[in-house]
Amino acid sequence: MAIAGVMGMTAGPAWAEPAPTSITVSSEDLYVNETYTVTVHCQEHSTVGVAVDVDPYGAEQSDLLGGIPVAPNEDLLATVQWTPTSIGTHTLYAYGCASGVGWPDYRPPTASLSVDVTAAPTGTGSADGIPVIGPILRKLFG
């Protein structure tokens, strides 16, 4: 018996609370000196600034990635680029992009995300991993 989704005729209009502002990064594995897209999932069409490793209550516009706030697109997604320059745990902070919350002006961030950045993996220097050329070089040079 399916009863999910059934509403009485006297129910008022549906009102969905917007999802909380959140931050995602374009990769789960983050490496130093690689560039990633940071996406802020906004609650409304207001500008957002993203800062990294700052005092969350003392961030200024000069701390923002790209140096300026950005507006979200029609899907309420705002993106900026980030290139971590050191290994370790880093915290991304989003300011704005939510009703009644400004940025940064000594206000708390609307969202934060801690991520770990590691050293980029190194290759072996072997040509074996190169398709087509690896086997040819191995035959030529043993």
Side-chain angles (χ1 to χ4, degrees), residues 54-72:
V54 296
D55 172 357
Y57 291 92
E60 299 177 5
Q61 184 166 337
S62 61
D63 295 322
L64 301 179
L65 294 177
I68 58 171
V70 296

Side-chain angles (χ1 to χ4, degrees), residues 20-21 23 30 32-34 36 50 53 58 60 69 71 80 90 98 108 112-113 116 120 124 126 128-129 135-136 141:
T21 300
I23 304 171
L30 305 177
V32 70
N33 298 321
E34 298 283 333
Y36 302 97
V50 177
D53 295 336
E60 299 177 5
V80 294
H90 298 279
S112 64
L113 175 69
D116 292 318
T124 63
S126 169
D128 289 338
I136 294 170
F141 300 106

Side-chain angles (χ1 to χ4, degrees), residues 23-39 52-53 65 80-92 113-121:
I23 304 171
T24 58
V25 180
S26 59
S27 178
E28 289 186 21
D29 298 318
L30 305 177
Y31 302 111
V32 70
N33 298 321
E34 298 283 333
T35 300
Y36 302 97
T37 300
V38 175
T39 302
V52 179
D53 295 336
L65 294 177
V80 294
Q81 299 299 302
W82 175 48
T83 305
T85 57
S86 62
I87 61 172
T89 300
H90 298 279
T91 304
L92 301 158
L113 175 69
S114 292
V115 295
D116 292 318
V117 175
T118 60

